[in-house]
Every structure is written in structure tokens, then in C-alpha cells.
Amino acid sequence: YCTGWNTIPQTRDIWMGPVENGPALAEVYRSAKFVLHANSDTNLHQRVFEAAACHTVPLVYAHPTDTAEGGLTNCYNLTDHMVRFADEGDFTKKIMYFLNDHAARHQIAQNAYVQTYTFNSYKNRAEGILETIGWREGKQFKPKPEGH
């Protein structure tokens, strides 16, 4: 699914086409054993949160930014809530392990699901943003004067 996979020779034949955000994408996530997130710059991404919310294991490329201040470790435990891989060999090894160990894969999916619904729902994230910018109920924001 998604865009771009049809241009890669190894995935062209299994590409399923684009999927709209919303219920259709949630159904795709729920039908999978893993949701791959191999972004080149961050794992603090909507796809990781949505996979976890759909009770599916996020499978992510291990980024140095994961442990940076404000990174993914502020939201998830990197071993209990997802499967991370460092390179192609590590990716293959972990896929094979978790495909064969259903209980371990299910436990990570369950941990990620609980963590997401307890601390990382869209509502929680929005409340955190509002708290960070100092919003209080009933407080009006005034636009900045031009030139600022």
C-alpha cells in the first residue's frame, strides 16, 4: 500500500495501491502483522501512532532521533512497544522471529495499543500541544502584530 512501492522492483509485484486515510487505512493496519515505517528522518510519525492504535506492531528503522530529547522515547518504550531494526539483515532476522513467535508479537502489539490509548491518543497529543503553548480554557489568543 501507499505510494512509491510500485516503483521498487522487489515490491512492485506485491504493491496493493494507495489507501485513503481514515477507516480504510485503519482496516489495512488491523489486517497486518506489522506496519513498516522506514522513514529516513524520524519515527515520531503518525503512521507509528496509528499502527499502535490499531493493535498492530510498528516495525521501524532505528533512528538516532528516537532517543533524542523530544523523540520517540517520550511516547513509547523502544523495545516493549515496537520492533526496531538497524539494517536489512536485522530487519529480516526480526521479521522471521516475530512471524514465528505469535505470543511475543501479540504482546508488543498489546503493549503499544495500551500505551497509545492511555498516553498517545490524538486527544492526548492535542492537549499536550495546548499545554506547551500555555493555552488555558477561556483564554483568547491574540494575533501577533505584523512584522513579528
Side-chain angles (χ1 to χ4, degrees):
Y1 296 100
C2 299
T3 58
W5 293 102
N6 57 322
T7 64
I8 301 169
Q10 295 89 332
T11 58
R12 184 178 299 132
D13 293 340
I14 59 172
W15 182 62
M16 302 292 285
V19 179
E20 294 280 329
N21 283 330
L25 185 57
E27 186 56 37
V28 168
Y29 286 167
R30 282 192 294 273
S31 72
K33 291 180 174 55
F34 305 96
V35 171
L36 174 64
H37 180 74
N39 191 302
S40 62
D41 59 358
T42 184
N43 286 322
L44 198 57
H45 190 278
Q46 171 182 345
R47 182 179 304 114
V48 175
F49 290 85
E50 290 176 349
C54 289
H55 212 173
T56 303
V57 175
L59 175 65
V60 302
Y61 174 72
H63 287 288
T65 60
D66 291 344
T67 57
E69 185 177 338
L72 195 60
T73 54
N74 284 11
C75 303
Y76 293 104
N77 178 294
L78 299 180
T79 55
D80 294 342
H81 301 142
M82 64 191 61
V83 173
R84 295 171 76 226
F85 62 93
D87 54 39
E88 189 175 336
D90 192 34
F91 172 85
T92 302
K93 177 180 156 189
K94 288 182 177 169
I95 286 284
M96 297 311 295
Y97 174 80
F98 285 104
L99 282 176
N100 290 309
D101 191 335
H102 304 282
R105 188 179 69 244
H106 177 76
Q107 188 61 60
I108 290 173
Q110 180 65 20
N111 293 345
Y113 174 83
V114 169
Q115 180 73 9
T116 300
Y117 273 92
T118 305
F119 301 106
N120 296 311
S121 67
Y122 282 136
K123 181 178 186 248
N124 295 126
R125 304 302 334 147
E127 288 170 351
I129 291 167
L130 292 173
E131 183 178 313
T132 298
I133 64 171
W135 181 84
R136 299 286 181 262
E137 194 167 334
K139 180 179 176 183
Q140 298 273 329
F141 284 106
K142 295 181 183 174
K144 288 185 179 183
E146 281 191 44
H148 286 101

